[in-house]
Amino acid sequence: CGRGSRRSLWPRPGLPNAGKSSVLNAVLGRSAVGVSRAPGRTRYFQTHFLTAQVRLCDCPGLVFPSRAPPELQVLAGVYPIAQLQDPYSAVGFL
């Protein structure tokens, strides 16, 4: 990159609730993006400038369609437990 060009630090795609937004807030030293214990808080691609040449990007976690039961997906952290009709059913997979 030449002088005056902007560089971006792109987070690696990851599962929801893996800490991507928390890392961005820690690097920026402020609460720039919302975080939550439940997956799905980040819904849009967001860009924040660390310096004039470095920008940090936050994006929602990637969830690929799965044939695994929702209870097992809850244990993997990719399905919100609040959406289960019987949240205790996930315990059966332990």
Side-chain angles (χ1 to χ4, degrees):
C1 294
R3 277 197 147 140
S5 66
R6 291 204 167 150
R7 291 180 232 160
S8 295
L9 296 179
W10 295 91
R12 291 182 183 238
L15 295 173
N17 226 31
K20 297 178 296 295
S21 298
S22 295
V23 169
L24 185 135
N25 285 338
V27 170
L28 290 174
R30 60 186 171 89
S31 293
V33 296
V35 295
S36 172
R37 287 184 179 191
R41 173 76 166 116
T42 304
R43 297 195 176 170
Y44 304 101
F45 186 87
Q46 302 170 52
T47 302
H48 297 273
F49 289 92
L50 183 62
T51 68
Q53 290 81 28
V54 178
R55 61 183 159 185
L56 304 172
C57 303
D58 190 28
C59 60
L62 299 176
V63 178
F64 297 98
S66 174
R67 293 179 189 236
E71 295 85 1
L72 187 56
Q73 292 180 45
V74 164
L75 295 176
V78 297
Y79 190 89
I81 194 167
Q83 291 186 8
L84 287 179
Q85 290 182 355
D86 174 20
Y88 297 103
S89 60
V91 175
F93 283 94
L94 293 176

